[in-house]
Amino acid sequence: MQNNSANPLLQDFIETCKTHNLKVTPQRMAIYRELVDSTEHPTVDAMFQTVKKEYPNISYDTVSRTMLTFAEIGMVDLVEVYGGAKRFDPNVTNHHHLHCVSCGKILDFHNDEYNNLEIPDHVPQGFKVLTSRVVLKGICNKCSNPGNVSP
Ligand SMILES: [Zn+2]
Ligand SMILES: [Zn+2]
């Protein structure tokens, strides 16, 4: 087992687990570490494939339950994807998404104007808005230039 005490991210993780009475296991730690490392907004399946390399005996169910627990306690976010598998977002700060409708890739982007979007006075049915996120749908660079092979 490696020494994680120097890593502030894992220190935070351990603190959050303690707050929520969640046992810190090496598997949970690995899932969290891989999630935070990922910029792909991975599905449970993608994360299972990654974590399995380090923990060959881990079950899909464990990965799935762990990720949902992380989302429940606000350690990670769930991305609004309509239909298809749930996608997880380790970036819980205010940011926006570029969503490729061709390959399904979701990229983060930051924009001050979008961060301060004005919410209309009359949101229907007395709905109280807590946060807002802008999702720009389109075609990513890779999908619009499929033949593009780097030199
Ligand atoms: Zn794409
Ligand atoms: Zn994101």
Side-chain angles (χ1 to χ4, degrees), residues 79-80 96-99 106 109 114 133-137:
V79 182
E80 307 76 13
H96 309 281
H97 283 159
L98 301 171
H99 193 156
I106 299 173
F109 79 103
Y114 287 169
R133 168 174 287 157
V134 176
V135 178
L136 303 181
K137 291 203 172 189

Side-chain angles (χ1 to χ4, degrees), residues 133-150:
R133 168 174 287 157
V134 176
V135 178
L136 303 181
K137 291 203 172 189
I139 311 284
C140 76
N141 191 28
K142 219 173 177 181
C143 290
S144 39
N145 306 294
N148 212 348
V149 191
S150 21

Side-chain angles (χ1 to χ4, degrees), residues 27-55 58-60 62-64 66-67 70 76 86 88-90:
Q27 283 91 340
R28 279 186 180 146
M29 213 132 89
I31 294 168
Y32 183 72
R33 203 179 50 227
E34 294 295 347
L35 253 175
V36 169
D37 268 356
S38 169
T39 53
E40 309 257 300
H41 302 82
T43 59
V44 169
D45 201 55
M47 204 40 58
F48 174 59
Q49 300 304 333
T50 307
V51 176
K52 209 168 61 168
K53 287 180 199 145
E54 201 178 337
Y55 294 94
I58 201 163
S59 74
Y60 180 89
T62 300
V63 177
S64 173
T66 303
M67 287 169 75
F70 288 171
V76 300
K86 284 192 180 74
F88 292 77
D89 195 339

